[in-house]
Structure formats: C-alpha cells, structure tokens
PDB file of all heavy atoms in Angstrom:
ATOM      1  N   LEU A 131      62.431  41.208-111.013  1.00  0.00           N
ATOM      2  CA  LEU A 131      63.406  41.277-112.088  1.00  0.00           C
ATOM      3  C   LEU A 131      63.310  40.001-112.900  1.00  0.00           C
ATOM      4  O   LEU A 131      63.705  38.931-112.424  1.00  0.00           O
ATOM      5  CB  LEU A 131      64.828  41.463-111.553  1.00  0.00           C
ATOM      6  CG  LEU A 131      65.903  41.669-112.614  1.00  0.00           C
ATOM      7  CD1 LEU A 131      65.707  43.011-113.326  1.00  0.00           C
ATOM      8  CD2 LEU A 131      67.299  41.604-111.997  1.00  0.00           C
ATOM      9  N   GLN A 132      62.754  40.112-114.101  1.00  0.00           N
ATOM     10  CA  GLN A 132      62.691  38.988-115.021  1.00  0.00           C
ATOM     11  C   GLN A 132      63.972  38.973-115.839  1.00  0.00           C
ATOM     12  O   GLN A 132      64.269  39.937-116.545  1.00  0.00           O
ATOM     13  CB  GLN A 132      61.474  39.107-115.937  1.00  0.00           C
ATOM     14  CG  GLN A 132      61.341  37.982-116.953  1.00  0.00           C
ATOM     15  CD  GLN A 132      61.076  36.648-116.313  1.00  0.00           C
ATOM     16  OE1 GLN A 132      60.229  36.539-115.431  1.00  0.00           O
ATOM     17  NE2 GLN A 132      61.804  35.621-116.741  1.00  0.00           N
ATOM     18  N   MET A 133      64.718  37.888-115.747  1.00  0.00           N
ATOM     19  CA  MET A 133      66.003  37.766-116.413  1.00  0.00           C
ATOM     20  C   MET A 133      65.914  36.664-117.456  1.00  0.00           C
ATOM     21  O   MET A 133      65.735  35.493-117.118  1.00  0.00           O
ATOM     22  CB  MET A 133      67.113  37.466-115.404  1.00  0.00           C
ATOM     23  CG  MET A 133      67.212  38.486-114.280  1.00  0.00           C
ATOM     24  SD  MET A 133      68.621  38.191-113.178  1.00  0.00           S
ATOM     25  CE  MET A 133      68.093  36.653-112.411  1.00  0.00           C
ATOM     26  N   ASN A 134      66.047  37.044-118.719  1.00  0.00           N
ATOM     27  CA  ASN A 134      66.003  36.111-119.831  1.00  0.00           C
ATOM     28  C   ASN A 134      67.346  36.087-120.550  1.00  0.00           C
ATOM     29  O   ASN A 134      68.161  36.997-120.405  1.00  0.00           O
ATOM     30  CB  ASN A 134      64.895  36.494-120.816  1.00  0.00           C
ATOM     31  CG  ASN A 134      63.512  36.459-120.208  1.00  0.00           C
ATOM     32  OD1 ASN A 134      63.216  35.620-119.357  1.00  0.00           O
ATOM     33  ND2 ASN A 134      62.640  37.356-120.661  1.00  0.00           N
ATOM     34  N   SER A 135      67.548  35.054-121.348  1.00  0.00           N
ATOM     35  CA  SER A 135      68.783  34.909-122.129  1.00  0.00           C
ATOM     36  C   SER A 135      70.013  35.107-121.266  1.00  0.00           C
ATOM     37  O   SER A 135      70.940  35.844-121.612  1.00  0.00           O
ATOM     38  CB  SER A 135      68.778  35.897-123.303  1.00  0.00           C
ATOM     39  OG  SER A 135      67.669  35.691-124.146  1.00  0.00           O
ATOM     40  N   LEU A 136      70.032  34.439-120.140  1.00  0.00           N
ATOM     41  CA  LEU A 136      71.108  34.636-119.171  1.00  0.00           C
ATOM     42  C   LEU A 136      72.447  34.164-119.724  1.00  0.00           C
ATOM     43  O   LEU A 136      72.530  33.172-120.452  1.00  0.00           O
ATOM     44  CB  LEU A 136      70.786  33.911-117.875  1.00  0.00           C
ATOM     45  CG  LEU A 136      69.755  34.631-116.995  1.00  0.00           C
ATOM     46  CD1 LEU A 136      69.159  33.681-115.977  1.00  0.00           C
ATOM     47  CD2 LEU A 136      70.410  35.824-116.299  1.00  0.00           C
ATOM     48  N   LYS A 137      73.488  34.893-119.346  1.00  0.00           N
ATOM     49  CA  LYS A 137      74.847  34.618-119.759  1.00  0.00           C
ATOM     50  C   LYS A 137      75.710  34.334-118.538  1.00  0.00           C
ATOM     51  O   LYS A 137      75.390  34.782-117.436  1.00  0.00           O
ATOM     52  CB  LYS A 137      75.429  35.822-120.519  1.00  0.00           C
ATOM     53  CG  LYS A 137      74.612  36.275-121.713  1.00  0.00           C
ATOM     54  CD  LYS A 137      75.192  37.547-122.302  1.00  0.00           C
ATOM     55  CE  LYS A 137      74.384  38.029-123.483  1.00  0.00           C
ATOM     56  NZ  LYS A 137      74.935  39.294-124.056  1.00  0.00           N
ATOM     57  N   PRO A 138      76.824  33.618-118.721  1.00  0.00           N
ATOM     58  CA  PRO A 138      77.716  33.384-117.575  1.00  0.00           C
ATOM     59  C   PRO A 138      78.168  34.665-116.889  1.00  0.00           C
ATOM     60  O   PRO A 138      78.348  34.667-115.663  1.00  0.00           O
ATOM     61  CB  PRO A 138      78.899  32.644-118.207  1.00  0.00           C
ATOM     62  CG  PRO A 138      78.302  31.917-119.362  1.00  0.00           C
ATOM     63  CD  PRO A 138      77.257  32.856-119.911  1.00  0.00           C
ATOM     64  N   GLU A 139      78.333  35.742-117.639  1.00  0.00           N
ATOM     65  CA  GLU A 139      78.762  36.997-117.044  1.00  0.00           C
ATOM     66  C   GLU A 139      77.689  37.653-116.182  1.00  0.00           C
ATOM     67  O   GLU A 139      77.961  38.654-115.514  1.00  0.00           O
ATOM     68  CB  GLU A 139      79.246  37.981-118.118  1.00  0.00           C
ATOM     69  CG  GLU A 139      78.294  38.139-119.283  1.00  0.00           C
ATOM     70  CD  GLU A 139      78.680  37.271-120.466  1.00  0.00           C
ATOM     71  OE1 GLU A 139      78.976  36.080-120.260  1.00  0.00           O
ATOM     72  OE2 GLU A 139      78.699  37.792-121.600  1.00  0.00           O
ATOM     73  N   ASP A 140      76.473  37.113-116.189  1.00  0.00           N
ATOM     74  CA  ASP A 140      75.438  37.590-115.286  1.00  0.00           C
ATOM     75  C   ASP A 140      75.583  37.001-113.886  1.00  0.00           C
ATOM     76  O   ASP A 140      74.858  37.404-112.970  1.00  0.00           O
ATOM     77  CB  ASP A 140      74.047  37.253-115.822  1.00  0.00           C
ATOM     78  CG  ASP A 140      73.726  37.972-117.121  1.00  0.00           C
ATOM     79  OD1 ASP A 140      74.039  39.175-117.231  1.00  0.00           O
ATOM     80  OD2 ASP A 140      73.146  37.327-118.017  1.00  0.00           O
ATOM     81  N   THR A 141      76.486  36.052-113.717  1.00  0.00           N
ATOM     82  CA  THR A 141      76.689  35.420-112.420  1.00  0.00           C
ATOM     83  C   THR A 141      77.140  36.450-111.392  1.00  0.00           C
ATOM     84  O   THR A 141      78.133  37.146-111.593  1.00  0.00           O
ATOM     85  CB  THR A 141      77.717  34.297-112.529  1.00  0.00           C
ATOM     86  OG1 THR A 141      77.220  33.271-113.386  1.00  0.00           O
ATOM     87  CG2 THR A 141      78.005  33.694-111.161  1.00  0.00           C
ATOM     88  N   ALA A 142      76.410  36.550-110.294  1.00  0.00           N
ATOM     89  CA  ALA A 142      76.701  37.530-109.259  1.00  0.00           C
ATOM     90  C   ALA A 142      75.728  37.337-108.108  1.00  0.00           C
ATOM     91  O   ALA A 142      74.762  36.574-108.215  1.00  0.00           O
ATOM     92  CB  ALA A 142      76.582  38.957-109.797  1.00  0.00           C
ATOM     93  N   VAL A 143      75.989  38.043-107.019  1.00  0.00           N
ATOM     94  CA  VAL A 143      75.000  38.177-105.965  1.00  0.00           C
ATOM     95  C   VAL A 143      74.144  39.385-106.307  1.00  0.00           C
ATOM     96  O   VAL A 143      74.665  40.479-106.543  1.00  0.00           O
ATOM     97  CB  VAL A 143      75.649  38.356-104.581  1.00  0.00           C
ATOM     98  CG1 VAL A 143      74.582  38.572-103.512  1.00  0.00           C
ATOM     99  CG2 VAL A 143      76.505  37.141-104.243  1.00  0.00           C
ATOM    100  N   TYR A 144      72.844  39.193-106.331  1.00  0.00           N
ATOM    101  CA  TYR A 144      71.907  40.252-106.680  1.00  0.00           C
ATOM    102  C   TYR A 144      71.254  40.790-105.414  1.00  0.00           C
ATOM    103  O   TYR A 144      70.746  40.029-104.591  1.00  0.00           O
ATOM    104  CB  TYR A 144      70.846  39.729-107.648  1.00  0.00           C
ATOM    105  CG  TYR A 144      71.354  39.570-109.053  1.00  0.00           C
ATOM    106  CD1 TYR A 144      72.282  38.574-109.361  1.00  0.00           C
ATOM    107  CD2 TYR A 144      70.934  40.414-110.077  1.00  0.00           C
ATOM    108  CE1 TYR A 144      72.777  38.432-110.646  1.00  0.00           C
ATOM    109  CE2 TYR A 144      71.414  40.277-111.363  1.00  0.00           C
ATOM    110  CZ  TYR A 144      72.339  39.289-111.646  1.00  0.00           C
ATOM    111  OH  TYR A 144      72.821  39.151-112.926  1.00  0.00           O
ATOM    112  N   TYR A 145      71.271  42.115-105.272  1.00  0.00           N
ATOM    113  CA  TYR A 145      70.749  42.783-104.093  1.00  0.00           C
ATOM    114  C   TYR A 145      69.559  43.658-104.453  1.00  0.00           C
ATOM    115  O   TYR A 145      69.625  44.454-105.384  1.00  0.00           O
ATOM    116  CB  TYR A 145      71.821  43.669-103.450  1.00  0.00           C
ATOM    117  CG  TYR A 145      73.017  42.919-102.917  1.00  0.00           C
ATOM    118  CD1 TYR A 145      74.125  42.691-103.715  1.00  0.00           C
ATOM    119  CD2 TYR A 145      73.033  42.451-101.609  1.00  0.00           C
ATOM    120  CE1 TYR A 145      75.229  42.013-103.233  1.00  0.00           C
ATOM    121  CE2 TYR A 145      74.130  41.771-101.111  1.00  0.00           C
ATOM    122  CZ  TYR A 145      75.225  41.555-101.929  1.00  0.00           C
ATOM    123  OH  TYR A 145      76.318  40.882-101.438  1.00  0.00           O
ATOM    124  N   CYS A 146      68.502  43.519-103.695  1.00  0.00           N
ATOM    125  CA  CYS A 146      67.350  44.387-103.830  1.00  0.00           C
ATOM    126  C   CYS A 146      67.598  45.691-103.080  1.00  0.00           C
ATOM    127  O   CYS A 146      68.216  45.700-102.015  1.00  0.00           O
ATOM    128  CB  CYS A 146      66.113  43.686-103.279  1.00  0.00           C
ATOM    129  SG  CYS A 146      64.602  44.672-103.304  1.00  0.00           S
ATOM    130  N   ASN A 147      67.100  46.781-103.630  1.00  0.00           N
ATOM    131  CA  ASN A 147      67.261  48.105-103.040  1.00  0.00           C
ATOM    132  C   ASN A 147      65.924  48.823-103.010  1.00  0.00           C
ATOM    133  O   ASN A 147      65.105  48.689-103.923  1.00  0.00           O
ATOM    134  CB  ASN A 147      68.290  48.912-103.844  1.00  0.00           C
ATOM    135  CG  ASN A 147      67.990  50.398-103.886  1.00  0.00           C
ATOM    136  OD1 ASN A 147      67.509  50.914-104.898  1.00  0.00           O
ATOM    137  ND2 ASN A 147      68.270  51.082-102.781  1.00  0.00           N
ATOM    138  N   ALA A 148      65.702  49.596-101.954  1.00  0.00           N
ATOM    139  CA  ALA A 148      64.536  50.460-101.867  1.00  0.00           C
ATOM    140  C   ALA A 148      64.945  51.800-101.284  1.00  0.00           C
ATOM    141  O   ALA A 148      65.660  51.856-100.283  1.00  0.00           O
ATOM    142  CB  ALA A 148      63.447  49.827-101.002  1.00  0.00           C
ATOM    143  N   ASP A 149      64.501  52.875-101.923  1.00  0.00           N
ATOM    144  CA  ASP A 149      64.706  54.230-101.424  1.00  0.00           C
ATOM    145  C   ASP A 149      63.376  54.734-100.895  1.00  0.00           C
ATOM    146  O   ASP A 149      62.417  54.871-101.660  1.00  0.00           O
ATOM    147  CB  ASP A 149      65.222  55.149-102.524  1.00  0.00           C
ATOM    148  CG  ASP A 149      66.620  54.805-102.962  1.00  0.00           C
ATOM    149  OD1 ASP A 149      67.321  54.087-102.224  1.00  0.00           O
ATOM    150  OD2 ASP A 149      67.036  55.261-104.053  1.00  0.00           O
ATOM    151  N   THR A 150      63.323  55.013 -99.595  1.00  0.00           N
ATOM    152  CA  THR A 150      62.066  55.353 -98.941  1.00  0.00           C
ATOM    153  C   THR A 150      62.205  56.584 -98.071  1.00  0.00           C
ATOM    154  O   THR A 150      63.292  56.983 -97.680  1.00  0.00           O
ATOM    155  CB  THR A 150      61.564  54.190 -98.063  1.00  0.00           C
ATOM    156  OG1 THR A 150      62.511  53.933 -97.015  1.00  0.00           O
ATOM    157  CG2 THR A 150      61.374  52.927 -98.890  1.00  0.00           C
ATOM    158  N   ARG A 151      61.066  57.184 -97.762  1.00  0.00           N
ATOM    159  CA  ARG A 151      60.948  58.257 -96.785  1.00  0.00           C
ATOM    160  C   ARG A 151      59.787  57.925 -95.861  1.00  0.00           C
ATOM    161  O   ARG A 151      58.757  57.417 -96.305  1.00  0.00           O
ATOM    162  CB  ARG A 151      60.713  59.600 -97.463  1.00  0.00           C
ATOM    163  CG  ARG A 151      61.850  60.068 -98.365  1.00  0.00           C
ATOM    164  CD  ARG A 151      61.413  61.247 -99.225  1.00  0.00           C
ATOM    165  NE  ARG A 151      61.055  62.406 -98.414  1.00  0.00           N
ATOM    166  CZ  ARG A 151      60.427  63.480 -98.887  1.00  0.00           C
ATOM    167  NH1 ARG A 151      60.080  63.533-100.163  1.00  0.00           N
ATOM    168  NH2 ARG A 151      60.145  64.492 -98.082  1.00  0.00           N
ATOM    169  N   ARG A 152      59.957  58.222 -94.575  1.00  0.00           N
ATOM    170  CA  ARG A 152      58.894  57.971 -93.610  1.00  0.00           C
ATOM    171  C   ARG A 152      58.125  59.231 -93.241  1.00  0.00           C
ATOM    172  O   ARG A 152      57.292  59.193 -92.321  1.00  0.00           O
ATOM    173  CB  ARG A 152      59.436  57.284 -92.359  1.00  0.00           C
ATOM    174  CG  ARG A 152      60.451  58.073 -91.552  1.00  0.00           C
ATOM    175  CD  ARG A 152      60.938  57.238 -90.378  1.00  0.00           C
ATOM    176  NE  ARG A 152      61.846  57.976 -89.518  1.00  0.00           N
ATOM    177  CZ  ARG A 152      61.477  58.714 -88.488  1.00  0.00           C
ATOM    178  NH1 ARG A 152      60.187  58.819 -88.186  1.00  0.00           N
ATOM    179  NH2 ARG A 152      62.381  59.336 -87.753  1.00  0.00           N
ATOM    180  N   GLY A 153      58.381  60.315 -93.931  1.00  0.00           N
ATOM    181  CA  GLY A 153      57.662  61.554 -93.727  1.00  0.00           C
ATOM    182  C   GLY A 153      58.084  62.568 -94.764  1.00  0.00           C
ATOM    183  O   GLY A 153      59.125  62.425 -95.408  1.00  0.00           O
ATOM    184  N   TRP A 154      57.274  63.626 -94.920  1.00  0.00           N
ATOM    185  CA  TRP A 154      57.582  64.639 -95.929  1.00  0.00           C
ATOM    186  C   TRP A 154      58.898  65.344 -95.674  1.00  0.00           C
ATOM    187  O   TRP A 154      59.569  65.776 -96.613  1.00  0.00           O
ATOM    188  CB  TRP A 154      56.457  65.661 -95.995  1.00  0.00           C
ATOM    189  CG  TRP A 154      55.204  65.137 -96.602  1.00  0.00           C
ATOM    190  CD1 TRP A 154      54.009  64.938 -95.993  1.00  0.00           C
ATOM    191  CD2 TRP A 154      55.014  64.743 -97.966  1.00  0.00           C
ATOM    192  NE1 TRP A 154      53.091  64.445 -96.868  1.00  0.00           N
ATOM    193  CE2 TRP A 154      53.677  64.317 -98.097  1.00  0.00           C
ATOM    194  CE3 TRP A 154      55.852  64.708 -99.083  1.00  0.00           C
ATOM    195  CZ2 TRP A 154      53.159  63.865 -99.305  1.00  0.00           C
ATOM    196  CZ3 TRP A 154      55.333  64.246-100.284  1.00  0.00           C
ATOM    197  CH2 TRP A 154      54.004  63.839-100.384  1.00  0.00           C
ATOM    198  N   TYR A 155      59.286  65.467 -94.423  1.00  0.00           N
ATOM    199  CA  TYR A 155      60.520  66.166 -94.071  1.00  0.00           C
ATOM    200  C   TYR A 155      61.634  65.222 -93.653  1.00  0.00           C
ATOM    201  O   TYR A 155      62.670  65.669 -93.160  1.00  0.00           O
ATOM    202  CB  TYR A 155      60.246  67.185 -92.969  1.00  0.00           C
ATOM    203  CG  TYR A 155      59.248  68.236 -93.377  1.00  0.00           C
ATOM    204  CD1 TYR A 155      57.912  68.136 -93.022  1.00  0.00           C
ATOM    205  CD2 TYR A 155      59.647  69.328 -94.142  1.00  0.00           C
ATOM    206  CE1 TYR A 155      56.995  69.092 -93.416  1.00  0.00           C
ATOM    207  CE2 TYR A 155      58.737  70.286 -94.539  1.00  0.00           C
ATOM    208  CZ  TYR A 155      57.409  70.165 -94.179  1.00  0.00           C
ATOM    209  OH  TYR A 155      56.508  71.115 -94.576  1.00  0.00           O
ATOM    210  N   ALA A 156      61.429  63.952 -93.841  1.00  0.00           N
ATOM    211  CA  ALA A 156      62.442  62.968 -93.493  1.00  0.00           C
ATOM    212  C   ALA A 156      63.428  62.787 -94.632  1.00  0.00           C
ATOM    213  O   ALA A 156      63.095  62.957 -95.805  1.00  0.00           O
ATOM    214  CB  ALA A 156      61.784  61.636 -93.152  1.00  0.00           C
ATOM    215  N   ASP A 157      64.635  62.424 -94.272  1.00  0.00           N
ATOM    216  CA  ASP A 157      65.640  62.100 -95.279  1.00  0.00           C
ATOM    217  C   ASP A 157      65.297  60.780 -95.960  1.00  0.00           C
ATOM    218  O   ASP A 157      64.591  59.933 -95.412  1.00  0.00           O
ATOM    219  CB  ASP A 157      67.026  61.993 -94.645  1.00  0.00           C
ATOM    220  CG  ASP A 157      67.555  63.313 -94.128  1.00  0.00           C
ATOM    221  OD1 ASP A 157      67.126  64.366 -94.643  1.00  0.00           O
ATOM    222  OD2 ASP A 157      68.397  63.299 -93.217  1.00  0.00           O
ATOM    223  N   THR A 158      65.825  60.618 -97.149  1.00  0.00           N
ATOM    224  CA  THR A 158      65.655  59.371 -97.874  1.00  0.00           C
ATOM    225  C   THR A 158      66.522  58.283 -97.247  1.00  0.00           C
ATOM    226  O   THR A 158      67.694  58.507 -96.957  1.00  0.00           O
ATOM    227  CB  THR A 158      66.026  59.537 -99.353  1.00  0.00           C
ATOM    228  OG1 THR A 158      65.149  60.493 -99.952  1.00  0.00           O
ATOM    229  CG2 THR A 158      65.902  58.217-100.096  1.00  0.00           C
ATOM    230  N   LEU A 159      65.924  57.141 -97.023  1.00  0.00           N
ATOM    231  CA  LEU A 159      66.617  55.989 -96.476  1.00  0.00           C
ATOM    232  C   LEU A 159      66.822  54.962 -97.574  1.00  0.00           C
ATOM    233  O   LEU A 159      65.869  54.562 -98.239  1.00  0.00           O
ATOM    234  CB  LEU A 159      65.815  55.379 -95.328  1.00  0.00           C
ATOM    235  CG  LEU A 159      66.345  54.066 -94.733  1.00  0.00           C
ATOM    236  CD1 LEU A 159      67.688  54.298 -94.051  1.00  0.00           C
ATOM    237  CD2 LEU A 159      65.334  53.483 -93.757  1.00  0.00           C
ATOM    238  N   ARG A 160      68.056  54.543 -97.755  1.00  0.00           N
ATOM    239  CA  ARG A 160      68.362  53.495 -98.722  1.00  0.00           C
ATOM    240  C   ARG A 160      68.516  52.175 -97.982  1.00  0.00           C
ATOM    241  O   ARG A 160      69.381  52.041 -97.108  1.00  0.00           O
ATOM    242  CB  ARG A 160      69.627  53.825 -99.508  1.00  0.00           C
ATOM    243  CG  ARG A 160      70.135  52.679-100.377  1.00  0.00           C
ATOM    244  CD  ARG A 160      70.999  53.151-101.522  1.00  0.00           C
ATOM    245  NE  ARG A 160      70.196  53.761-102.578  1.00  0.00           N
ATOM    246  CZ  ARG A 160      70.654  54.083-103.778  1.00  0.00           C
ATOM    247  NH1 ARG A 160      71.932  53.864-104.077  1.00  0.00           N
ATOM    248  NH2 ARG A 160      69.854  54.641-104.675  1.00  0.00           N
ATOM    249  N   SER A 161      67.674  51.223 -98.331  1.00  0.00           N
ATOM    250  CA  SER A 161      67.670  49.914 -97.683  1.00  0.00           C
ATOM    251  C   SER A 161      68.097  48.847 -98.673  1.00  0.00           C
ATOM    252  O   SER A 161      67.907  48.984 -99.886  1.00  0.00           O
ATOM    253  CB  SER A 161      66.273  49.589 -97.131  1.00  0.00           C
ATOM    254  OG  SER A 161      65.841  50.575 -96.211  1.00  0.00           O
ATOM    255  N   TRP A 162      68.651  47.776 -98.135  1.00  0.00           N
ATOM    256  CA  TRP A 162      69.171  46.684 -98.949  1.00  0.00           C
ATOM    257  C   TRP A 162      68.675  45.342 -98.453  1.00  0.00           C
ATOM    258  O   TRP A 162      68.519  45.117 -97.254  1.00  0.00           O
ATOM    259  CB  TRP A 162      70.704  46.673 -98.920  1.00  0.00           C
ATOM    260  CG  TRP A 162      71.329  47.888 -99.509  1.00  0.00           C
ATOM    261  CD1 TRP A 162      71.720  49.015 -98.854  1.00  0.00           C
ATOM    262  CD2 TRP A 162      71.639  48.091-100.882  1.00  0.00           C
ATOM    263  NE1 TRP A 162      72.259  49.918 -99.733  1.00  0.00           N
ATOM    264  CE2 TRP A 162      72.222  49.379-100.991  1.00  0.00           C
ATOM    265  CE3 TRP A 162      71.494  47.319-102.034  1.00  0.00           C
ATOM    266  CZ2 TRP A 162      72.648  49.902-102.206  1.00  0.00           C
ATOM    267  CZ3 TRP A 162      71.912  47.844-103.242  1.00  0.00           C
ATOM    268  CH2 TRP A 162      72.486  49.116-103.315  1.00  0.00           C
ATOM    269  N   GLY A 163      68.445  44.448 -99.399  1.00  0.00           N
ATOM    270  CA  GLY A 163      68.174  43.072 -99.053  1.00  0.00           C
ATOM    271  C   GLY A 163      69.454  42.334 -98.730  1.00  0.00           C
ATOM    272  O   GLY A 163      70.559  42.872 -98.827  1.00  0.00           O
ATOM    273  N   GLN A 164      69.308  41.076 -98.359  1.00  0.00           N
ATOM    274  CA  GLN A 164      70.469  40.291 -97.946  1.00  0.00           C
ATOM    275  C   GLN A 164      71.286  39.776 -99.120  1.00  0.00           C
ATOM    276  O   GLN A 164      72.427  39.347 -98.939  1.00  0.00           O
ATOM    277  CB  GLN A 164      70.005  39.109 -97.081  1.00  0.00           C
ATOM    278  CG  GLN A 164      69.443  37.916 -97.852  1.00  0.00           C
ATOM    279  CD  GLN A 164      68.053  38.150 -98.412  1.00  0.00           C
ATOM    280  OE1 GLN A 164      67.411  39.160 -98.128  1.00  0.00           O
ATOM    281  NE2 GLN A 164      67.580  37.197 -99.211  1.00  0.00           N
ATOM    282  N   GLY A 165      70.728  39.811-100.310  1.00  0.00           N
ATOM    283  CA  GLY A 165      71.384  39.313-101.501  1.00  0.00           C
ATOM    284  C   GLY A 165      70.980  37.888-101.814  1.00  0.00           C
ATOM    285  O   GLY A 165      70.772  37.077-100.918  1.00  0.00           O
ATOM    286  N   THR A 166      70.880  37.586-103.099  1.00  0.00           N
ATOM    287  CA  THR A 166      70.573  36.236-103.548  1.00  0.00           C
ATOM    288  C   THR A 166      71.510  35.872-104.691  1.00  0.00           C
ATOM    289  O   THR A 166      71.750  36.667-105.593  1.00  0.00           O
ATOM    290  CB  THR A 166      69.092  36.107-103.965  1.00  0.00           C
ATOM    291  OG1 THR A 166      68.799  34.752-104.319  1.00  0.00           O
ATOM    292  CG2 THR A 166      68.752  37.013-105.140  1.00  0.00           C
ATOM    293  N   GLN A 167      72.051  34.669-104.643  1.00  0.00           N
ATOM    294  CA  GLN A 167      73.040  34.229-105.617  1.00  0.00           C
ATOM    295  C   GLN A 167      72.379  33.793-106.911  1.00  0.00           C
ATOM    296  O   GLN A 167      71.435  32.993-106.902  1.00  0.00           O
ATOM    297  CB  GLN A 167      73.875  33.077-105.049  1.00  0.00           C
ATOM    298  CG  GLN A 167      74.902  32.503-106.027  1.00  0.00           C
ATOM    299  CD  GLN A 167      76.046  33.453-106.285  1.00  0.00           C
ATOM    300  OE1 GLN A 167      76.619  34.011-105.348  1.00  0.00           O
ATOM    301  NE2 GLN A 167      76.382  33.656-107.555  1.00  0.00           N
ATOM    302  N   VAL A 168      72.880  34.316-108.017  1.00  0.00           N
ATOM    303  CA  VAL A 168      72.487  33.873-109.347  1.00  0.00           C
ATOM    304  C   VAL A 168      73.734  33.324-110.031  1.00  0.00           C
ATOM    305  O   VAL A 168      74.728  34.034-110.177  1.00  0.00           O
ATOM    306  CB  VAL A 168      71.875  35.012-110.175  1.00  0.00           C
ATOM    307  CG1 VAL A 168      71.666  34.578-111.623  1.00  0.00           C
ATOM    308  CG2 VAL A 168      70.566  35.473-109.561  1.00  0.00           C
ATOM    309  N   THR A 169      73.674  32.069-110.435  1.00  0.00           N
ATOM    310  CA  THR A 169      74.789  31.427-111.102  1.00  0.00           C
ATOM    311  C   THR A 169      74.334  30.912-112.454  1.00  0.00           C
ATOM    312  O   THR A 169      73.373  30.141-112.535  1.00  0.00           O
ATOM    313  CB  THR A 169      75.350  30.273-110.263  1.00  0.00           C
ATOM    314  OG1 THR A 169      75.760  30.756-108.982  1.00  0.00           O
ATOM    315  CG2 THR A 169      76.541  29.634-110.962  1.00  0.00           C
ATOM    316  N   VAL A 170      75.024  31.331-113.506  1.00  0.00           N
ATOM    317  CA  VAL A 170      74.715  30.916-114.869  1.00  0.00           C
ATOM    318  C   VAL A 170      75.889  30.076-115.357  1.00  0.00           C
ATOM    319  O   VAL A 170      76.986  30.598-115.583  1.00  0.00           O
ATOM    320  CB  VAL A 170      74.481  32.113-115.795  1.00  0.00           C
ATOM    321  CG1 VAL A 170      74.061  31.635-117.180  1.00  0.00           C
ATOM    322  CG2 VAL A 170      73.428  33.045-115.209  1.00  0.00           C
ATOM    323  N   SER A 171      75.649  28.795-115.514  1.00  0.00           N
ATOM    324  CA  SER A 171      76.727  27.878-115.873  1.00  0.00           C
ATOM    325  C   SER A 171      76.159  26.626-116.508  1.00  0.00           C
ATOM    326  O   SER A 171      75.070  26.171-116.163  1.00  0.00           O
ATOM    327  CB  SER A 171      77.544  27.502-114.633  1.00  0.00           C
ATOM    328  OG  SER A 171      78.549  26.548-114.946  1.00  0.00           O
TER     329      SER A 171
END
C-alpha cells in the first residue's frame, strides 16, 4: 500500500487481510495481520 499526500485523518492502525482457500472445496479463510500503526502529525 503506497500512501501519498497523507493527512492527519489517515492516522489509524492498518491491518493486512488475505482471503484464501486451501482446496477447491474448502471454505474461504479470512486472515489478518497484527496491525501496524500509521501516525500523521
């Protein structure tokens, strides 16, 4: 995620997400990262 022209209102914890399947008949698994802090000030 390339973030340009950042504003104070962009300040937040940003979480990565991935939607995956481990087989053709498997359900979709939604996974999350631990989060990373972005502070614009």
Side-chain angles (χ1 to χ4, degrees):
L131 185 67
Q132 179 66 46
M133 304 185 292
N134 298 325
S135 301
L136 283 162
K137 305 174 181 179
E139 49 263 46
D140 295 317
T141 296
V143 177
Y144 284 69
Y145 296 91
C146 177
N147 147 256
D149 292 343
T150 63
R151 297 168 62 192
R152 63 182 184 89
W154 289 113
Y155 299 98
D157 293 335
T158 298
L159 174 66
R160 171 157 285 190
S161 302
W162 297 93
Q164 79 286 353
T166 184
Q167 177 71 48
V168 172
T169 302
V170 184
S171 177

